[in-house]
């Protein structure tokens, strides 16, 4: 039996060890409780962030793009709600047996879908199908495949389709403007998406909206100067003209003379902005703003206006165009088909005499002529706000050759856009005041006086004779005085001009006594036999402007002619005869009165080339 002293010592050691263990456990418990209190109550930010990172998300709140309307408030570009189907690759790859089913629902090959998911296996988000009809999205979600969800987005829709494609442009899949006014005013139209905090479960589903960080701000609306009715009318008539004349392309620009507002702008060929991917990229170009042409005889009224401004001629000044041809350096220019003899300045425009225009320009110093033409906006950007607008080409006198001033006087050796021609003619109709064109209703640029009002009015009266006596009779509109000028210009080619290929132009003002509208028609390469501006483009002007005048409630300024025509028709009907139709103008008359202004040697170099 152990001694009592040893037994007491063993008992003491056991108690000490127990106390030590209990103390140690107590200290650990206190430490754990203290640590928990510190983490939960004092320094909980880190763990809160870690927990939030797993379930709390900031997601965008989609917002609609601003609506675009025409001048009368009719929508021409609207944003429609659509759905985009997205997936969580990490979740989807856990169920590989469901992927063929998902691929079939999406309408894509299964191996393509699997490759996409595998490449993004470390991600939590991937678009599966974007901007689709909500019903289609619902059919995909109805398969209840884990990791597949949808979210609201917006897609642009253009009710006018092809008719207004070049003006409006289009947006990409992210609803960002890519062309036209959609691009020019993208910041204004786009708006700002909102942001909200949500809690998602382990399958990505939103179970709670936690906080609104930023409210969505819809894009602002934009009201255009375009009248969709006139726009469609111009589109229809231009399309008919291109088909009838077997032409490759064409443009129409119509401006409000007093404000510079673009009422219509049409280009063909065109594309469907609701299905951009199905069209040809070349068809997206707004030719009226970006493409340049040599203006041909539409330049002659500006040459005459410049000479009147310089004081070197008066409306009655005689210009001797005998013998119908004139040598300029090593080139010869002609009036076709015959010698026009002695003309006054008005007659130069009426008969569209190349020699008359050249002799008038020769009376002016080079710099005076150049500055006057440039004042009409040629050689400078129109500042319409449209992206990609061209300044055209108007070489300064220092770069002129011996024949440059002569050819410029009747529309060669200079390149302009249809919009620039319309702007210049609008200045003539606006008493010599040039106004920058605009596409936004109520937005007007700074105007400037480029010509004395009396001279501008005189030139407009001269241009009336082109429609009443000259080669543009098919531009006439019953009940209205029309002022205008035809142009028929050879198409430039490498090293000169392409024989047998032309641009047919007509630029006009109506009503001529108090012009409201300036319109330019350019038809490129008509191949059906007719190629003169008076035969190809002038009839388009008549059709479009007759409808536009009625739509805009512009009163007639030639009531006498209208009443006389009505009386004649009634008399013929009373006599059992059909109502009289306007006598068609013959090719010979056009040749005679329009003085085919492309009658220059085929070897004459195009702008930008050397002889």
């Amino acid at each position: 039996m152990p001694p009592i002293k040893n037994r007491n010592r063993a008992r003491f050691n056991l108690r000490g060890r127990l106390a030590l263990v209990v103390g140690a456990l107590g200290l650990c418990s206190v430490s754990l409780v203290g640590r928990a209190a510190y983490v939960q109550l004092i320094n909980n930010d880190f763990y809160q962030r870690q927990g939030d990172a797993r379930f709390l998300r900031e997601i965008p709140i989609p917002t609609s793009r601003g609506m675009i309307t025409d001048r009368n408030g009719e929508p021409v570009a609207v944003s429609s709600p659509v759905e985009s189907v997205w997936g969580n690759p990490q979740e989807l790859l856990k169920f590989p047996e469901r992927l063929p089913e998902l691929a079939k629902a999406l309408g894509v090959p299964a191996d393509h879908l699997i490759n996409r998911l595998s490449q993004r296996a470390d991600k939590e988000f991937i678009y599966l199908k974007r901007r689709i009809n909500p019903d289609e999205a619902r059919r995909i979600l109805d398969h209840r495949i884990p990791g597949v969800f949808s979210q609201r987005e917006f897609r642009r829709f253009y009710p006018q389709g092809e008719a207004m494609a070049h003006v409006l442009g289009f947006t990409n899949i992210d609803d960002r403007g890519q062309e036209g006014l959609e691009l020019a005013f993208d910041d204004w139209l786009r708006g700002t998406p909102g942001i909200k905090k949500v809690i998602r479960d382990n399958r990505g589903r939103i179970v709670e909206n936690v906080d609104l960080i930023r409210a969505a701000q819809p894009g602002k609306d934009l009201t255009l100067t375009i009248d969709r009715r006139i726009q469609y009318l111009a589109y229809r008539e231009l399309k008919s003209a291109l088909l009838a004349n077997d032409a490759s392309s064409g443009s129409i620009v119509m401006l409000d003379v007093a404000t510079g507002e673009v009422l219509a702008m049409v280009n063909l060929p065109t594309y469907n902005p609701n299905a951009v991917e199905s069209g040809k990229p070349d068809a997206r170009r707004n030719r009226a703003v970006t493409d340049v042409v040599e203006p041909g005889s539409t330049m002659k009224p500006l040459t005459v206006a410049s000479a009147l401004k310089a004081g070197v001629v008066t409306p009655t000044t005689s210009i001797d165009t005998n013998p119908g041809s004139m040598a300029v350096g090593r080139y010869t220019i002609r009036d076709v088909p015959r010698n026009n003899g002695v003309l006054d300045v008005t007659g130069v425009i009426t008969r569209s005499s190349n020699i008359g225009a050249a002799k008038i320009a020769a009376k002016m110093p080079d710099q005076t002529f150049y500055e006057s033409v440039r004042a009409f906006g040629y050689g400078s950007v129109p500042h319409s706000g449209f992206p990609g607008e061209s300044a055209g080409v108007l070489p300064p006198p220092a770069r002129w050759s011996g024949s440059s001033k002569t050819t410029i006087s009747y529309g060669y050796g200079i390149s302009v856009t249809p919009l620039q021609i319309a702007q210049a003619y609008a200045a003539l109709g606006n008493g010599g005041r040039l106004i920058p064109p605009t596409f936004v209703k109520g937005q007007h640029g700074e105007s400037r006086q480029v010509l004395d009002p009396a001279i501008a009015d005189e030139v407009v009266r001269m241009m009336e004779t082109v429609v009443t006596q000259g080669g543009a009779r098919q531009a006439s509109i019953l009940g209205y005085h029309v002022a205008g000028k035809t142009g028929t210009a050879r198409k430039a080619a490498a090293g000169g001009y392409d024989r047998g290929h032309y641009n047919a132009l007509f630029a006009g003002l109506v009503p001529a006594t108090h012009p409201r509208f300036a319109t330019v028609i350019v038809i490129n390469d008509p191949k059906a036999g007719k190629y003169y501006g008076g035969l190809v483009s002038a009839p388009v002007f008549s059709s479009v402007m007759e409808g536009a005048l009625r739509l805009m409630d512009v009163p007639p300024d030639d009531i006498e002619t209208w009443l006389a025509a009505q009386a004649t028709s009634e008399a013929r009907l009373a006599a059992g005869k059909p109502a009289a139709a306007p006598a068609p103008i013959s090719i010979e008359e056009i040749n005679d009165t329009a003085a085919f202004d492309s009658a220059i040697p085929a070897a004459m170099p195009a702008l930008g080339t050397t002889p």
Side-chain angles (χ1 to χ4, degrees):
M1 183 175 183
I4 294 175
K5 184 176 181 179
N6 290 340
R7 291 200 302 270
N8 290 338
R9 184 179 297 164
R11 193 177 298 117
F12 176 78
N13 289 340
L14 181 61
R15 288 176 180 173
R17 288 174 183 174
L18 182 61
L20 182 62
V21 170
V22 171
L25 292 173
L27 287 174
C28 288
S29 299
V30 171
S31 176
L32 289 173
V33 171
R35 179 62 180 170
Y38 176 77
V39 169
Q40 295 291 330
L41 302 177
I42 299 174
N43 187 29
N44 60 357
D45 292 346
F46 172 77
Y47 294 96
Q48 186 69 44
R49 287 195 301 269
Q50 292 299 307
D52 290 347
R54 287 160 175 78
F55 299 103
L56 191 63
R57 293 285 187 272
E58 289 186 0
I59 64 173
I61 304 172
T63 185
S64 62
R65 194 172 175 86
M67 180 169 62
I68 302 178
T69 66
D70 80 340
R71 65 184 301 107
N72 301 310
E74 296 292 336
V76 294
V78 295
S79 290
S80 301
V82 292
E83 292 288 323
S84 288
V85 177
W86 64 277
N88 183 339
Q90 296 180 7
E91 184 75 13
L92 285 168
L93 291 172
K94 294 178 183 178
F95 304 92
E97 71 281 358
R98 303 294 302 274
L99 295 182
E101 179 186 354
L102 175 60
K104 184 177 180 181
L106 294 171
V108 299
D111 56 349
H112 174 72
L113 176 62
I114 293 171
N115 287 337
R116 285 188 65 208
L117 294 174
S118 299
Q119 292 170 2
R120 296 166 177 79
D122 59 336
K123 306 295 183 182
E124 294 183 352
F125 183 93
I126 182 176
Y127 278 116
L128 299 175
K129 201 165 188 179
R130 292 196 69 181
R131 301 203 305 177
I132 59 177
N133 188 290
D135 291 339
E136 184 181 353
R138 176 51 52 193
R139 285 194 292 270
I140 296 173
L141 295 176
D142 284 345
H143 288 267
R144 300 187 180 280
I145 299 173
V148 178
F149 314 96
S150 72
Q151 68 183 32
R152 172 65 57 85
E153 288 191 308
F154 291 90
R155 181 176 182 176
R156 210 62 162 160
F157 177 65
Y158 304 95
Q160 304 300 308
E162 294 182 349
M164 208 175 289
H166 291 107
V167 172
L168 297 174
F170 57 91
T171 60
N172 64 9
I173 197 167
D174 294 315
D175 219 20
R176 297 290 184 95
Q178 299 299 294
E179 297 281 355
L181 298 180
E182 290 277 28
L183 173 61
F185 294 93
D186 187 58
D187 291 340
W188 177 269
L189 293 165
R190 189 167 68 233
T192 305
I195 300 176
K196 65 179 178 180
K197 280 186 179 180
V198 301
I199 295 177
R200 282 179 169 165
D201 62 14
N202 59 351
R203 291 195 173 186
R205 295 173 299 190
I206 296 175
V207 296
E208 182 181 350
N209 290 314
V210 177
D211 187 23
L212 177 64
I213 297 177
R214 185 180 69 219
Q217 296 180 358
K220 302 180 185 69
D221 293 343
L222 183 67
T223 301
L224 303 184
T225 59
I226 299 289
D227 188 307
R228 67 180 182 87
R229 303 167 301 172
I230 301 175
Q231 179 79 9
Y232 179 76
L233 175 62
Y235 166 77
R236 185 188 69 188
E237 295 301 323
L238 182 63
K239 187 174 184 179
S240 296
L242 261 61
L243 291 172
N245 292 283
D246 190 22
S248 59
S249 63
S251 299
I252 293 181
V253 178
M254 177 179 171
L255 299 182
D256 185 299
V257 166
T259 64
E261 294 180 341
V262 181
L263 299 174
M265 178 179 285
V266 177
N267 297 276
L268 289 173
T270 184
Y271 65 97
N272 183 0
N274 296 304
V276 177
E277 62 281 353
S278 64
K280 297 180 180 179
D282 183 62
R284 301 175 194 169
R285 195 170 70 250
N286 189 339
R287 301 168 188 270
V289 176
T290 64
D291 287 18
V292 296
V293 297
E294 289 180 297
S297 284
T298 63
M299 179 67 188
K300 290 170 183 171
L302 302 189
T303 298
V304 169
S306 301
L308 292 171
K309 177 182 178 181
V312 296
V313 296
T314 68
T316 58
T317 298
S318 295
I319 307 295
D320 187 358
T321 68
N322 287 300
S325 63
M326 184 174 74
V328 180
R330 56 196 181 95
Y331 301 115
T332 300
I333 63 172
R334 295 180 175 84
D335 283 347
V336 176
R338 62 177 65 88
N339 178 14
N340 286 309
V342 178
L343 301 171
D344 60 13
V345 172
T346 300
V348 169
I349 291 180
T350 309
R351 307 287 288 183
S352 196
S353 170
N354 295 333
I355 296 173
K359 288 192 171 184
I360 289 173
K363 295 176 179 291
M364 290 180 280
D366 292 355
Q367 191 66 27
T368 298
F369 182 40
Y370 168 77
E371 290 177 357
S372 179
V373 173
R374 189 171 178 82
F376 280 102
Y378 288 3
S380 58
V381 174
H383 298 293
S384 68
F386 199 93
E389 60 183 357
S390 173
V393 180
L394 175 62
R399 292 171 47 197
W400 288 0
S401 66
S403 61
S404 291
K405 185 163 72 171
T406 297
T407 56
I408 289 174
S409 71
Y410 55 85
Y412 283 91
I414 176 176
S415 293
V416 295
T417 65
L419 178 60
Q420 288 177 307
I421 300 174
Q423 181 187 29
Y425 272 65
L428 290 175
N430 194 34
R433 180 165 289 276
L434 187 79
I435 302 177
T438 180
F439 290 90
V440 180
K441 188 175 182 180
Q443 182 184 82
H444 304 299
E446 185 177 350
S447 64
R448 64 182 189 274
Q449 195 74 34
V450 299
L451 193 66
D452 184 88
I455 296 176
D457 292 344
E458 185 66 45
V459 175
V460 171
R461 286 195 295 273
M462 292 179 183
M463 289 193 296
E464 280 190 68
T465 65
V466 178
V467 179
T468 58
Q469 307 168 34
R473 298 181 198 181
Q474 293 195 39
S476 62
I477 303 171
L478 184 62
Y480 295 89
H481 292 287
V482 177
K485 187 69 191 75
T486 58
T488 310
R490 289 187 187 273
K491 291 190 63 177
Y497 290 89
D498 195 355
R499 183 177 293 277
H501 296 273
Y502 308 90
N503 285 315
L505 302 92
F506 183 81
L509 297 162
V510 65
T513 53
H514 185 68
R516 284 283 306 277
F517 308 125
T519 300
V520 172
I521 295 97
V522 178
I523 295 182
N524 176 27
D525 201 17
K527 297 181 286 292
K530 298 181 294 186
Y531 49 83
Y532 299 107
L535 292 176
V536 175
S537 296
V540 182
F541 176 90
S542 177
S543 300
V544 173
M545 299 314 299
E546 183 177 15
L549 290 163
R550 292 179 180 178
L551 287 170
M552 302 296 278
D553 293 325
V554 178
D557 65 339
D558 189 11
I559 293 292
E560 295 78 10
T561 302
W562 185 84
L563 291 175
Q566 287 293 104
T568 301
S569 295
E570 290 173 0
R572 291 180 64 85
L573 290 172
K577 299 178 181 179
I585 188 169
S586 66
I587 291 286
E588 288 73 25
E589 283 182 290
I590 286 290
N591 280 336
D592 185 23
T593 57
F596 175 35
D597 57 346
S598 60
I600 58 176
M604 175 82 80
L607 182 64
T609 65
T610 55

mmCIF file of all heavy atoms in Angstrom, residues 55 75 100 122 132 146 167 215 259 270 272 340 372 379 385 423 425 432 539 560 597:
data_model
loop_
_atom_site.group_PDB
_atom_site.id
_atom_site.type_symbol
_atom_site.label_atom_id
_atom_site.label_comp_id
_atom_site.label_asym_id
_atom_site.label_seq_id
_atom_site.Cartn_x
_atom_site.Cartn_y
_atom_site.Cartn_z
ATOM 1 N N PHE A 55 -23.277 36.164 -53.203
ATOM 2 C CA PHE A 55 -24.717 36.221 -53.448
ATOM 3 C C PHE A 55 -25.235 37.605 -53.853
ATOM 4 O O PHE A 55 -26.288 37.716 -54.438
ATOM 5 C CB PHE A 55 -25.480 35.749 -52.194
ATOM 6 C CG PHE A 55 -25.175 34.339 -51.823
ATOM 7 C CD1 PHE A 55 -24.314 34.038 -50.772
ATOM 8 C CD2 PHE A 55 -25.728 33.297 -52.537
ATOM 9 C CE1 PHE A 55 -24.030 32.732 -50.442
ATOM 10 C CE2 PHE A 55 -25.461 31.975 -52.204
ATOM 11 C CZ PHE A 55 -24.596 31.690 -51.151
ATOM 12 N N PRO A 75 -43.540 58.747 -85.433
ATOM 13 C CA PRO A 75 -42.315 57.998 -85.102
ATOM 14 C C PRO A 75 -41.665 57.380 -86.329
ATOM 15 O O PRO A 75 -42.334 56.767 -87.158
ATOM 16 C CB PRO A 75 -42.816 56.916 -84.135
ATOM 17 C CG PRO A 75 -44.275 56.777 -84.430
ATOM 18 C CD PRO A 75 -44.753 58.124 -84.866
ATOM 19 N N PRO A 100 -27.253 19.388 -75.347
ATOM 20 C CA PRO A 100 -27.866 19.211 -76.678
ATOM 21 C C PRO A 100 -29.296 19.738 -76.736
ATOM 22 O O PRO A 100 -29.710 20.314 -77.749
ATOM 23 C CB PRO A 100 -27.809 17.691 -76.882
ATOM 24 C CG PRO A 100 -26.650 17.239 -76.040
ATOM 25 C CD PRO A 100 -26.693 18.120 -74.830
ATOM 26 N N ASP A 122 -14.688 29.448 -66.657
ATOM 27 C CA ASP A 122 -14.417 30.148 -65.405
ATOM 28 C C ASP A 122 -15.292 31.382 -65.218
ATOM 29 O O ASP A 122 -15.142 32.115 -64.233
ATOM 30 C CB ASP A 122 -12.955 30.557 -65.346
ATOM 31 C CG ASP A 122 -12.561 31.459 -66.515
ATOM 32 O OD1 ASP A 122 -13.246 31.397 -67.562
ATOM 33 O OD2 ASP A 122 -11.580 32.224 -66.369
ATOM 34 N N ILE A 132 -34.253 38.965 -78.735
ATOM 35 C CA ILE A 132 -35.223 38.127 -79.420
ATOM 36 C C ILE A 132 -36.616 38.416 -78.874
ATOM 37 O O ILE A 132 -36.789 39.052 -77.829
ATOM 38 C CB ILE A 132 -34.900 36.631 -79.269
ATOM 39 C CG1 ILE A 132 -34.880 36.230 -77.781
ATOM 40 C CG2 ILE A 132 -33.579 36.293 -79.937
ATOM 41 C CD1 ILE A 132 -34.642 34.754 -77.557
ATOM 42 N N PRO A 146 -30.910 24.146 -65.924
ATOM 43 C CA PRO A 146 -30.194 24.904 -64.889
ATOM 44 C C PRO A 146 -29.119 25.801 -65.498
ATOM 45 O O PRO A 146 -28.364 25.374 -66.374
ATOM 46 C CB PRO A 146 -29.571 23.807 -64.009
ATOM 47 C CG PRO A 146 -30.409 22.599 -64.249
ATOM 48 C CD PRO A 146 -30.855 22.689 -65.680
ATOM 49 N N VAL A 167 -30.960 58.363 -93.917
ATOM 50 C CA VAL A 167 -31.045 59.493 -92.991
ATOM 51 C C VAL A 167 -30.865 59.012 -91.553
ATOM 52 O O VAL A 167 -30.089 59.579 -90.789
ATOM 53 C CB VAL A 167 -32.392 60.229 -93.143
ATOM 54 C CG1 VAL A 167 -32.554 61.282 -92.050
ATOM 55 C CG2 VAL A 167 -32.487 60.877 -94.513
ATOM 56 N N ALA A 215 -30.916 55.194 -60.791
ATOM 57 C CA ALA A 215 -32.125 54.993 -61.596
ATOM 58 C C ALA A 215 -31.787 55.102 -63.078
ATOM 59 O O ALA A 215 -30.921 55.881 -63.478
ATOM 60 C CB ALA A 215 -33.184 56.022 -61.226
ATOM 61 N N THR A 259 -35.401 78.125 -94.103
ATOM 62 C CA THR A 259 -34.827 77.639 -92.842
ATOM 63 C C THR A 259 -33.635 76.711 -93.018
ATOM 64 O O THR A 259 -32.899 76.466 -92.061
ATOM 65 C CB THR A 259 -35.892 76.880 -92.026
ATOM 66 O OG1 THR A 259 -36.293 75.706 -92.758
ATOM 67 C CG2 THR A 259 -37.104 77.752 -91.766
ATOM 68 N N THR A 270 -30.660 51.242 -101.614
ATOM 69 C CA THR A 270 -30.780 51.427 -100.179
ATOM 70 C C THR A 270 -30.741 50.070 -99.478
ATOM 71 O O THR A 270 -30.381 49.058 -100.091
ATOM 72 C CB THR A 270 -32.079 52.193 -99.860
ATOM 73 O OG1 THR A 270 -32.147 52.445 -98.450
ATOM 74 C CG2 THR A 270 -33.307 51.421 -100.305
ATOM 75 N N ASN A 272 -32.427 47.737 -95.770
ATOM 76 C CA ASN A 272 -33.439 47.675 -94.723
ATOM 77 C C ASN A 272 -32.759 47.817 -93.363
ATOM 78 O O ASN A 272 -32.040 46.910 -92.927
ATOM 79 C CB ASN A 272 -34.192 46.341 -94.795
ATOM 80 C CG ASN A 272 -35.316 46.254 -93.758
ATOM 81 O OD1 ASN A 272 -35.536 47.182 -92.978
ATOM 82 N ND2 ASN A 272 -36.022 45.148 -93.746
ATOM 83 N N ASN A 340 -25.462 78.922 -131.197
ATOM 84 C CA ASN A 340 -26.544 79.708 -130.602
ATOM 85 C C ASN A 340 -26.477 81.183 -130.974
ATOM 86 O O ASN A 340 -27.354 81.966 -130.583
ATOM 87 C CB ASN A 340 -26.505 79.579 -129.076
ATOM 88 C CG ASN A 340 -26.994 78.221 -128.603
ATOM 89 O OD1 ASN A 340 -28.065 77.765 -128.979
ATOM 90 N ND2 ASN A 340 -26.181 77.551 -127.781
ATOM 91 N N SER A 372 -16.498 83.848 -105.120
ATOM 92 C CA SER A 372 -17.947 83.900 -105.264
ATOM 93 C C SER A 372 -18.546 82.496 -105.252
ATOM 94 O O SER A 372 -19.558 82.240 -104.587
ATOM 95 C CB SER A 372 -18.321 84.616 -106.561
ATOM 96 O OG SER A 372 -19.729 84.658 -106.718
ATOM 97 N N GLY A 379 -16.841 73.546 -102.026
ATOM 98 C CA GLY A 379 -15.479 73.438 -101.519
ATOM 99 C C GLY A 379 -15.375 73.472 -100.012
ATOM 100 O O GLY A 379 -14.264 73.449 -99.469
ATOM 101 N N GLY A 385 -24.322 68.572 -89.711
ATOM 102 C CA GLY A 385 -24.296 67.696 -88.551
ATOM 103 C C GLY A 385 -24.328 66.230 -88.912
ATOM 104 O O GLY A 385 -24.222 65.369 -88.036
ATOM 105 N N GLN A 423 -28.130 73.365 -101.259
ATOM 106 C CA GLN A 423 -27.856 74.512 -100.392
ATOM 107 C C GLN A 423 -27.613 75.775 -101.215
ATOM 108 O O GLN A 423 -28.120 76.856 -100.874
ATOM 109 C CB GLN A 423 -26.636 74.214 -99.519
ATOM 110 C CG GLN A 423 -26.259 75.333 -98.554
ATOM 111 C CD GLN A 423 -24.950 75.066 -97.832
ATOM 112 O OE1 GLN A 423 -24.074 74.387 -98.349
ATOM 113 N NE2 GLN A 423 -24.819 75.581 -96.627
ATOM 114 N N TYR A 425 -28.684 76.448 -104.325
ATOM 115 C CA TYR A 425 -29.928 76.882 -104.975
ATOM 116 C C TYR A 425 -30.898 77.466 -103.948
ATOM 117 O O TYR A 425 -31.655 78.405 -104.254
ATOM 118 C CB TYR A 425 -30.566 75.719 -105.734
ATOM 119 C CG TYR A 425 -30.055 75.598 -107.151
ATOM 120 C CD1 TYR A 425 -28.727 75.288 -107.408
ATOM 121 C CD2 TYR A 425 -30.891 75.826 -108.238
ATOM 122 C CE1 TYR A 425 -28.246 75.188 -108.710
ATOM 123 C CE2 TYR A 425 -30.425 75.729 -109.549
ATOM 124 C CZ TYR A 425 -29.097 75.416 -109.775
ATOM 125 O OH TYR A 425 -28.633 75.328 -111.061
ATOM 126 N N GLY A 432 -30.397 85.393 -101.711
ATOM 127 C CA GLY A 432 -28.946 85.447 -101.591
ATOM 128 C C GLY A 432 -28.413 85.116 -100.221
ATOM 129 O O GLY A 432 -27.209 85.235 -99.994
ATOM 130 N N PRO A 539 -38.454 65.173 -114.835
ATOM 131 C CA PRO A 539 -39.780 64.617 -114.531
ATOM 132 C C PRO A 539 -39.914 64.165 -113.072
ATOM 133 O O PRO A 539 -40.996 64.234 -112.506
ATOM 134 C CB PRO A 539 -39.895 63.426 -115.489
ATOM 135 C CG PRO A 539 -38.956 63.722 -116.607
ATOM 136 C CD PRO A 539 -37.823 64.460 -115.970
ATOM 137 N N GLU A 560 -53.570 81.707 -113.313
ATOM 138 C CA GLU A 560 -54.057 81.891 -114.673
ATOM 139 C C GLU A 560 -53.816 80.653 -115.531
ATOM 140 O O GLU A 560 -54.713 80.200 -116.256
ATOM 141 C CB GLU A 560 -53.374 83.110 -115.319
ATOM 142 C CG GLU A 560 -53.710 84.454 -114.677
ATOM 143 C CD GLU A 560 -52.949 84.686 -113.378
ATOM 144 O OE1 GLU A 560 -52.028 83.882 -113.077
ATOM 145 O OE2 GLU A 560 -53.282 85.662 -112.677
ATOM 146 N N ASP A 597 -24.240 69.815 -122.158
ATOM 147 C CA ASP A 597 -23.041 70.421 -121.604
ATOM 148 C C ASP A 597 -21.911 69.442 -121.385
ATOM 149 O O ASP A 597 -20.875 69.805 -120.865
ATOM 150 C CB ASP A 597 -23.369 71.112 -120.280
ATOM 151 C CG ASP A 597 -23.989 70.163 -119.280
ATOM 152 O OD1 ASP A 597 -24.406 69.069 -119.677
ATOM 153 O OD2 ASP A 597 -24.050 70.518 -118.111
#
